[in-house]
Amino acid sequence: MSETAKLILGGEEFEFPIIEGSENEKAIDISKLRGSTGYITIDPGFKNTGSCGSEITYLDGEKGILRYRGHSIESLADNADFLETSYLVIFGNLPSKAELTKFENDIRKHTMIDEEMKNIIDGFPKSAHPMGVLSSLTSALTAFNPKSLDINSEDQLYNAVCKMLGKFLVLASWVYKKHVGLPLNYYDNSKGYVENLLRLMFEIPTEEYKINPEIVNALDKLLILHVDHEQNCSTSTVRIVGSSHAGLFASISAGVSALWGPLHGGANQAVIEMLEAIKADGGDIDKFILKAKDKNDSFRLMGFGHRVYKNFDPRARIIKKAADDVLGALGIEDPVLDIAKKLEKVALEDEYFKSRNLYPNVDFYSGIIYRALGIPTDMFTVMFAIGRLPGWISQWKEMRLNGEPIGRPRQVYNGETDRPFVELDNR
Ligand code: SDX
């Protein structure tokens, strides 16, 4: 007899099955709870609630383990490239050389964007935050690609994946170019995906952009570290929007909006702004540590803490080393990096952070590398979105192919109970 969970409600005993994943994670299957007991559960922020079974990403917050389709993040960061890792999470296995070459070439077929999209981008003020523009343009792709996707057609699904990866990269670069008032670029099919990202963003008509392999490698590694992270806020958003059978572009657009928040992907921008503020304030680390601990102060140590990792975020460890390597290779002395290291050291020795298992997360060091690569602060979260796109696509695809039901949580009502209507003159 497999393990079950017993619940006693109103003197009656109810039994629910326990399910166990391939990494021995256990869950109580409450899919029949309301039908059999009339009760629901409540769990703000879903801290104890699983929304699905998934074969894409496994993470162990206690041990600081992160794997994409069973491959450790360390092994992928050391040996794979971003498109290879994207193929892995989306299709389930590392591609052969032929599959990878085909994938890269098929993405190249979809990097052109309807020129009328420029009318939309021109409607935004230069000052608009790039994430808001990117979310709008991603949703607008539906208008120019209205044909709905037959999820059961392997070819249509593969083409939609390549189209999403091709167009999103170019749109993200157009968002930047519009933001800085420079002409929009087009993908160069003679170059790689990450090389194109840099070219699309930084090449100007008056001179060729010189590709620096150190920068390409650093950016490629950063993007790999952001590819997926199981059911985080933005991925859960992509899944729940997609569960209504809204299209892939519309679902990804919603994910971009969720990622924008400073408690999620927006933290990489907030980290740099925090470090800059500490520097401008004279570098008094202890003052900001006290603010972060003060319950009456809304200030939080951005880039610290994580819903799942109660140990070091394995990505932060890799990025911290990459930050040293990139700044060393580029000969950059960034005082903000020194402040970050001091802040990390002080926080990790402080009882408040230790007792709450607050460690640096993926966002703590990534902004320092983006800045060294010449990427402006308000584009950091766009870089996160470019990295996370393959994860969003893979999770959306898994949800649809598994035929998951529309996401529709319940609630506990705490409002007014039944009351009579009062005529306007009598109120
Ligand atoms: C990402 O989910 C993912 O996987 C996300 C992500 C991904 O790849 O998709 O990993 C990317 O979003 C990383 C997180 C980036 N966000 C930040 O760096 C923002 C700063 N961090 C916090 O806002 C916070 O740690 C969260 C939002 C990340 C997690 O919040 P939780 O899990 O809801 O934790 P909590 O708010 O319940 O905090 C528990 C305690 C509280 O204190 P007490 O009430 O117990 O006294 O820890 C404190 C919090 O006040 N705390 C912090 C803190 N984070 C938590 N105190 C100071 N500074 C912080 N950063």
Side-chain angles (χ1 to χ4, degrees):
M1 169 70 173
S2 53
E3 195 185 351
T4 61
K6 288 187 176 60
L7 201 52
I8 297 172
L9 291 168
E12 194 181 347
E13 183 175 290
F14 300 89
E15 211 165 354
F16 298 94
I18 301 278
I19 60 168
E20 187 167 340
S22 56
E23 289 286 352
N24 310 314
E25 295 165 305
K26 294 188 175 181
I28 303 167
D29 178 348
I30 57 166
S31 48
K32 297 197 171 34
L33 175 72
R34 190 168 185 275
S36 53
T37 70
Y39 283 67
I40 62 166
T41 58
I42 195 138
D43 184 21
F46 311 115
K47 294 190 176 186
N48 305 279
T49 300
S51 59
C52 62
S54 179
E55 299 177 2
I56 298 166
T57 293
Y58 170 69
L59 61 89
D60 181 321
E62 280 64 39
K63 296 185 188 132
I65 293 171
L66 173 59
R67 297 191 199 119
Y68 298 153
R69 301 281 188 183
H71 292 281
S72 74
I73 191 68
E74 291 82 1
S75 67
L76 293 167
D78 288 343
N79 305 298
D81 72 22
F82 177 58
L83 276 195
E84 209 174 344
T85 307
S86 302
Y87 188 99
L88 169 68
V89 293
I90 294 170
F91 300 108
N93 298 299
L94 285 167
S96 65
K97 200 167 174 55
E99 286 166 332
L100 183 57
T101 305
K102 181 178 185 306
F103 189 49
E104 188 151 24
N105 288 331
D106 288 337
I107 289 169
R108 288 188 170 117
K109 293 174 190 160
H110 295 289
T111 64
M112 294 302 286
I113 290 172
D114 193 301
E115 289 288 303
E116 284 183 13
M117 284 278 279
K118 292 182 178 178
N119 300 332
I120 300 172
I121 203 166
D122 287 343
F124 287 95
K126 272 206 195 82
S127 57
H129 193 288
M131 285 295 276
V133 182
L134 181 59
S135 177
S136 307
L137 293 178
T138 304
S139 185
L141 281 173
T142 309
F144 293 91
N145 300 272
K147 194 166 174 297
S148 63
L149 169 62
D150 172 3
I151 193 74
N152 299 307
S153 156
E154 234 176 83
D155 282 350
Q156 284 191 34
L157 197 50
Y158 177 80
N159 279 324
V161 167
C162 295
K163 193 179 275 191
M164 189 73 244
L165 288 165
K167 295 189 186 304
F168 193 81
L169 187 76
V170 177
L171 281 182
S173 75
W174 283 11
V175 165
Y176 169 66
K177 286 293 201 178
K178 165 75 189 176
H179 197 45
V180 294
L182 288 172
L184 308 181
N185 284 336
Y186 295 90
Y187 202 94
D188 175 345
N189 285 349
S190 69
K191 292 185 171 58
Y193 193 81
V194 177
E195 286 179 337
N196 262 291
L197 171 54
L198 289 163
R199 259 198 64 257
L200 285 160
M201 283 182 66
F202 297 124
E203 189 157 79
I204 51 178
T206 49
E207 58 196 53
E208 191 196 349
Y209 176 74
K210 294 251 179 310
I211 301 275
N212 177 334
E214 299 270 3
I215 292 185
V216 173
N217 290 335
L219 191 47
D220 196 291
K221 186 192 286 266
L222 262 185
L223 294 174
I224 287 173
L225 296 172
H226 287 81
V227 161
D228 194 54
H229 214 240
E230 56 140 274
Q231 304 311 315
N232 59 83
C233 177
S234 54
T235 299
S236 297
T237 301
V238 170
R239 283 183 84 119
I240 203 164
V241 170
S243 73
S244 73
H245 291 193
L248 178 60
F249 296 133
S251 305
I252 298 295
S253 167
V256 173
S257 296
L259 187 72
W260 190 3
L263 294 189
H264 189 17
N268 57 17
Q269 173 177 343
V271 166
I272 289 292
E273 288 164 351
M274 172 188 74
L275 294 171
E276 288 284 17
I278 295 173
K279 182 169 150 252
D281 187 73
D284 183 350
I285 304 272
D286 295 329
K287 174 180 166 186
F288 284 84
I289 292 280
L290 280 175
K291 280 172 63 68
K293 291 157 56 173
D294 178 357
K295 285 297 158 222
N296 301 317
D297 190 328
S298 61
F299 175 79
R300 282 200 157 181
L301 212 48
M302 302 315 278
F304 258 77
H306 198 278
R307 171 60 56 79
V308 178
Y309 288 123
K310 300 308 169 195
N311 191 322
F312 228 87
D313 180 337
R315 301 167 297 176
R317 213 190 294 276
I318 298 170
I319 292 178
K320 179 178 177 181
K321 183 178 175 312
D324 279 328
D325 296 349
V326 168
L327 269 65
L330 298 175
I332 295 173
E333 287 290 319
D334 186 347
V336 154
L337 177 59
D338 301 335
I339 292 176
K341 288 182 175 175
K342 273 192 220 129
L343 191 61
E344 177 193 15
K345 187 174 180 316
V346 171
L348 292 182
E349 288 162 3
D350 184 291
E351 198 41 45
Y352 172 93
F353 294 90
K354 287 195 318 190
S355 63
R356 291 167 177 80
N357 298 311
L358 300 177
Y359 293 90
N361 57 48
V362 67
D363 294 305
F364 188 67
Y365 283 103
S366 52
I368 288 160
I369 298 182
Y370 289 141
R371 195 159 92 138
L373 302 183
I375 292 161
T377 308
D378 59 7
M379 279 291 290
F380 288 3
T381 313
V382 170
M383 303 308 290
F384 192 146
I386 293 167
R388 184 51 52 89
L389 179 64
W392 286 334
I393 293 170
S394 67
Q395 298 268 354
W396 184 92
K397 174 171 170 278
E398 179 178 74
M399 176 274 303
R400 286 300 310 274
L401 290 180
N402 287 350
E404 292 188 13
I406 186 168
R408 200 272 185 224
R410 309 291 298 215
Q411 61 162 30
V412 172
Y413 177 72
N414 297 314
E416 294 282 347
T417 52
D418 189 16
R419 55 180 174 160
F421 183 80
V422 179
E423 290 304 326
L424 185 58
D425 296 341
N426 302 329
R427 286 179 216 151

